[in-house]
Amino acid sequence: MERQDNRKATELRPIKITPGYITHPEGSVLIEMGQTKVICNASIEDRVPPFMRGQGKGWITAEYAMLPRATEQRNIRESSKGKVSGRTMEIQRLIGRALRSVVDLSKIGERTIWIDCDVIQADGGTRTASITGAYVAMVMALHQLVEKKVIKELPVIDFLAAISVGVLSDGQEVLDLNYQEDSTAAVDMNIVMTGKGEFVELQGTGEEATFNAQQLQAMLSLGEKGIHTLISQQKDTLGSITDLVH
Amino acid sequence: MERQDNRKATELRPIKITPGYITHPEGSVLIEMGQTKVICNASIEDRVPPFMRGQGKGWITAEYAMLPRATEQRNIRESSKGKVSGRTMEIQRLIGRALRSVVDLSKIGERTIWIDCDVIQADGGTRTASITGAYVAMVMALHQLVEKKVIKELPVIDFLAAISVGVLSDGQEVLDLNYQEDSTAAVDMNIVMTGKGEFVELQGTGEEATFNAQQLQAMLSLGEKGIHTLISQQKDTLGSITDLVH
Amino acid sequence: MERQDNRKATELRPIKITPGYITHPEGSVLIEMGQTKVICNASIEDRVPPFMRGQGKGWITAEYAMLPRATEQRNIRESSKGKVSGRTMEIQRLIGRALRSVVDLSKIGERTIWIDCDVIQADGGTRTASITGAYVAMVMALHQLVEKKVIKELPVIDFLAAISVGVLSDGQEVLDLNYQEDSTAAVDMNIVMTGKGEFVELQGTGEEATFNAQQLQAMLSLGEKGIHTLISQQKDTLGSITDLVH
Amino acid sequence: MERQDNRKATELRPIKITPGYITHPEGSVLIEMGQTKVICNASIEDRVPPFMRGQGKGWITAEYAMLPRATEQRNIRESSKGKVSGRTMEIQRLIGRALRSVVDLSKIGERTIWIDCDVIQADGGTRTASITGAYVAMVMALHQLVEKKVIKELPVIDFLAAISVGVLSDGQEVLDLNYQEDSTAAVDMNIVMTGKGEFVELQGTGEEATFNAQQLQAMLSLGEKGIHTLISQQKDTLGSITDLVH
Amino acid sequence: MERQDNRKATELRPIKITPGYITHPEGSVLIEMGQTKVICNASIEDRVPPFMRGQGKGWITAEYAMLPRATEQRNIRESSKGKVSGRTMEIQRLIGRALRSVVDLSKIGERTIWIDCDVIQADGGTRTASITGAYVAMVMALHQLVEKKVIKELPVIDFLAAISVGVLSDGQEVLDLNYQEDSTAAVDMNIVMTGKGEFVELQGTGEEATFNAQQLQAMLSLGEKGIHTLISQQKDTLGSITDLVH
Amino acid sequence: MERQDNRKATELRPIKITPGYITHPEGSVLIEMGQTKVICNASIEDRVPPFMRGQGKGWITAEYAMLPRATEQRNIRESSKGKVSGRTMEIQRLIGRALRSVVDLSKIGERTIWIDCDVIQADGGTRTASITGAYVAMVMALHQLVEKKVIKELPVIDFLAAISVGVLSDGQEVLDLNYQEDSTAAVDMNIVMTGKGEFVELQGTGEEATFNAQQLQAMLSLGEKGIHTLISQQKDTLGSITDLVH
């Protein structure tokens, strides 16, 4: 059975990663996965948050937001509401945690890497696209520190990408759900995986539904393939920096 | 190898569920898992939030909090800070989502079930204990609606419990981590599962570490056994109401 | 005339003070006055708020909250509202002020004693029960400092308890109002008194009513007797520590 | 012994009540008690807060604030802090409660009387001056409703004023403390009393001190005399309206 | 004397307006003025804010924000701070006011046009670029209403653009200041002008400096020329819609 | 044609500046322009905000507020709303910027001058009256520093006043609009000018209208005359201090 946008169950949407999209940040990309578009900027700050001070280690933290009209219906700005939603906080925590898992924080000194993921257009999968794009922006920013001889070597120990998989309401397991699929799916799972194929995060949710062990395996298998393709794309974007990741 | 509190890797901490702990709520339990103690109250409100109105269906929503001194170090109250933390929001959303997966919301009319999980003493696993206890409080509250003939039958389609599993820093997979284990674990996973053994939520996180497919299987297997024991305990607490769940 | 719960006008509800209710805090009690139940925790912090720094003296501050379903109707959490109500602030300020009146703050060094009073079940008189219970938790925490030889002697100069008195709508003066009485009383007065029988706080309010000098005397007399009983109970709970208060 | 400003223990500071101080409000006075100056405005709104709707009764509510430089040291504006302090909330609740005790709310229809007490210069006793001044502004506003034939008669059943009394650090009981006295007093008590000499509120606080029954009587006696003088002054200001209060 | 980026005093930076930049909004452009880049989206909502209801007229309101790393130094998100800065509010009010001056609000029914200006890269002149870009997005959104026959004709009575002018520290009057010029200028003026050459807003500020009548005239003259060029560019972008503006 | 209050188009309302209105501040005036009354207080703080530290220079900052009943309709307090409105922020920023333009901040050391403008009665022109009054309060506070020999000479380089001008709906340009005129005016302009006749701020707004170059000149000419009169009044109030301004 074909999907609404003619993709196969195992097929990703077209991916495009544009490096250097914004001028000021130390690392910046625009990542596009189909109609989903996220600006991922990485900024270096020469200090760490209070709870990390004096340990000689660095920190990575992320913020995520959507433009009000990234979506079909306009959303109220979180700055106008005066608070950040639970969904936003979950995503921010996820992005930061994922990126920290592939960086040796003891090698960047007492510095914070701020990751800003701003969704300018949304069509499902914004949190996984954010992680995949943010990884590239972060590596670019860290590489700049190497270039400037602030740190000796790139402290990135593996590649990292994220993708969504799910079970549609008809029981079909699919890769990379767009908004329409996501909003009607029975099960939704986000997988964050390294270049070596190890899990960093696994978040599966039955949306007023449940899933069994067999469906779990089918989803994990789809996800693994998607991650593989995404990491190829990251390597293309990073070019010669790719070899410094180890 | 034995665990710090002499448990086996496959062993839960002592569980105690005290029904009717607080007088006013429609459903109320104190759940204790070792030193972790959570008051779970379920309240029925005769209306639904704005986004649900006019659909003839009900809603279940959860709030979670800790007393400031539930922990070793005193925490600042979220009411004093004027905002709820990202961690709290994640847990609240998880509890609500999990409970909604086993209730037929179309059978409770336009009512909201408010779940309040208040941790009075914390020693790891507070979010999973909250789900396990909240399930019992919720069934009690819904059963009261049946008793009062407000609804015809108990709209609960399955049992539901949650447990944490993880990989310790020495590579050992264990069930039901206490605070000390949790704070040094390499991998931490929360599993929410139904009585039929289907997954509702699966949230695995490598804490500055990763995990492979084999470790994932080992953790899922441990979790399944733990859930089984917890659901037995829930049935003991609910007594004759148990048979009304289907 | 008898009261709704068969008590005499001069009769307190059954009192129970459970020491060591929560494990982590330096001092902890559950105080029950009839159906009113409050967890009172005392925590020691090794610094004082900014306005007290450099004076070589300590500070005592209190926070008060109710679980949302401590009451007949569920209340919205203050953390969700993002602000603390006027009522809560009044009570917090009262508890702190009352406790400070019987402690020699110059003898505890630059330390803060945080008092947390969390009402898990409410049936009137929560602020006075909080003071009576918090006093015991505070003395336990201070005694621990003595035991650990951090301070030389218990810096507590007197006992301290609190009780409500009031005038019912039928003109009867009564001791220790429960919720039903309190909500229909013409006059409501809270008395905080020391072991020597001196006033620390006196807060009398005509609720859309007034009271004359004679009624005031009757209420004060009732209150004094109630305080006497409460302090006996505190002494029983504190056991041998009792003699160190002077 | 004489007081720092040469007053006797039983002597009020000079009182001045200027009616019609601000043009727009339905009732407005500037009250001065020595160097303490408060603008008290009363506004009529043709609806009541949600919790009062449909009862056919009115409501009286008060807000209190200080200009940042009403005091010797500049205070941060509560609007800049984004929240109202506990002290402000206590005072606001007190003023509203006090005024409601002398108005027959069932006779003003579903209307709210907003009382705004803005301290433009502070020298102690701002909350009691606010009550005394607000009473006059409120009566003026209610009288305007009578004049406009919106209500039939003045629904004010008695006069009402407030004063502070206290015990100085040398043990002397005094009336109407200025800021210097107040900040060093051992005991501070605010009395709100009606024209008939009945208590509406009694709030006595030992400031790191206590007081006995005899001191209480001495303070009450001083307070009663002060209230008597204040009510005379209110009557002078209200002129012919005075006779409509009953 | 030449400017730091080799422009003449009377020269604008390169302008580019990309229509349809984001898919979902009714009107959307990316406007670039040199290195300043702003996404301007216009959304139609089928209701007006409370203060406008029942008048049969529409409303236009604007929100403005910067990505945290739009600037050389990363800024804290306003959603994280929980409040919108004074600068942001000023700009939002300015954009809304300016656009309302050229739309006949009585011809759009009870609808709100939400304008979102999100600066993704900043190099001076972001508020004026926002107005110039927002005008185009707004006209596109209103034109869509005409196309859908929701309204009869385009209710836009004139063109509208904005530009900054200033006096540099060396006394030179210049057009369209970039960030470096703006941050050291003695005088900064924003001009909002219609296609007919009438002023809508004039905001001139001496930055710890002043300006005389002659300098004012020189700046107004520069601004008028800049506005003329910007409006040509708007007409090119709007194509055939241009003729519907009258 | 005569104006609603019988003034000529070129006529200011009666001005009165009362120095020393409040006792505590270093500088204090009540400024009245017709029915508009603003208390302007200037306070000296012996430190500067974080962004100014270590530069050896001072800072001037302003806050502006209205009493809730300064206006015909009661406004909600900004402290109750928990945030400051956009309008208030604009005015605060304007007052601070204007005053900083005539003070040599390098001559006051690391001190902050806090300006508090509190409108107790409003009838149009509150922001311009605030600037005119605040200037006098500020000079008084700075002069006190000279008197106390904290600074050597008055660091004020010129006089400064502000006035509103506008175009009424009938096309007439007028000086000093009252509330009624302001709310129906087609164009509203605020002018801040020095004693030497140079502009500090110029803020002209077409209120759903526009204005041409000729109207601009007519308004500027009216404004200049008004400013001249206001500065005479400031000099009268400052008396011998006037000669120290240069």
Side-chain angles (χ1 to χ4, degrees), chain F residues 60-225:
Chain F
I60 300 170
T61 191
E63 292 193 350
Y64 165 98
M66 276 200 191
L67 295 203
R69 202 57 199 286
T71 48
E72 185 53 39
Q73 299 297 316
R74 186 180 183 276
N75 293 299
I76 300 174
R77 263 170 218 275
E78 297 193 327
S79 57
S80 300
K81 285 192 281 192
K83 61 179 174 183
V84 171
S85 74
R87 176 184 176 275
T88 295
M89 286 206 191
E90 262 185 50
I91 296 175
Q92 295 185 155
R93 286 157 54 89
L94 171 63
I95 300 171
R97 221 158 50 216
L99 294 175
R100 288 194 298 273
S101 74
V102 290
V103 175
D104 185 342
L105 295 171
S106 68
K107 291 196 177 149
I108 63 171
E110 294 215 345
R111 286 184 183 84
T112 299
I113 307 180
W114 287 87
I115 302 296
D116 287 294
C117 298
D118 286 89
V119 180
I120 61 174
Q121 192 168 286
D123 185 28
T126 61
R127 81 185 66 188
T128 47
S130 293
I131 291 171
T132 304
Y135 174 84
V136 178
M138 178 189 75
V139 172
M140 288 167 69
L142 286 169
H143 185 246
Q144 204 185 85
L145 286 185
V146 176
E147 293 276 290
K148 290 181 175 173
K149 302 194 190 298
V150 175
I151 57 176
K152 286 192 191 153
E153 52 172 352
L154 196 69
V156 182
I157 57 181
D158 204 345
F159 278 82
L160 181 92
I163 196 66
S164 75
V165 289
V167 182
L168 299 186
S169 52
D170 63 2
Q172 169 81 53
E173 291 93 2
V174 293
L175 178 66
D176 188 21
L177 291 71
N178 67 16
Y179 177 70
Q180 201 197 29
E181 290 173 331
D182 188 53
S183 58
T184 57
V187 181
D188 177 29
M189 178 170 278
N190 293 301
I191 300 172
V192 186
M193 201 175 249
T194 63
K196 293 187 187 66
E198 300 230 316
F199 296 106
V200 171
E201 289 272 343
L202 200 60
Q203 297 194 336
T205 299
E207 306 281 354
E208 305 188 9
T210 58
F211 55 103
N212 59 30
Q214 192 182 334
Q215 289 173 309
L216 173 60
Q217 288 313 322
M219 288 190 285
L220 295 178
S221 170
L222 280 174
E224 198 173 353
K225 278 167 204 153

Side-chain angles (χ1 to χ4, degrees), chain E residues 193-209:
Chain E
M193 201 174 248
T194 64
K196 294 187 188 64
E198 300 229 317
F199 296 106
V200 170
E201 288 271 343
L202 201 59
Q203 296 194 337
T205 299
E207 305 281 354
E208 304 187 13

Side-chain angles (χ1 to χ4, degrees), chain A residues 139-239:
Chain A
V139 171
M140 288 167 70
L142 287 168
H143 185 247
Q144 204 186 81
L145 286 184
V146 176
E147 293 275 291
K148 290 184 175 170
K149 302 193 189 299
V150 175
I151 59 176
K152 284 190 192 155
E153 51 172 352
L154 196 70
V156 182
I157 59 183
D158 204 346
F159 278 82
L160 180 93
I163 196 67
S164 75
V165 289
V167 182
L168 299 186
S169 52
D170 63 1
Q172 171 80 55
E173 292 94 1
V174 293
L175 178 65
D176 188 19
L177 290 73
N178 66 18
Y179 177 71
Q180 201 196 31
E181 290 174 332
D182 187 54
S183 57
T184 59
V187 181
D188 177 30
M189 177 169 279
N190 293 301
I191 301 172
V192 186
M193 200 174 248
T194 64
K196 295 187 187 63
E198 299 229 317
F199 295 106
V200 172
E201 289 271 343
L202 201 60
Q203 297 195 336
T205 299
E207 305 282 354
E208 305 187 12
T210 59
F211 55 103
N212 59 31
Q214 192 181 333
Q215 290 173 308
L216 174 60
Q217 288 313 321
M219 288 189 286
L220 295 177
S221 171
L222 279 174
E224 197 174 355
K225 280 167 203 152
I227 297 278
H228 190 76
T229 307
L230 289 167
I231 289 178
S232 295
Q233 200 89 5
Q234 290 178 329
K235 290 179 176 174
D236 287 355
T237 309
L238 286 169

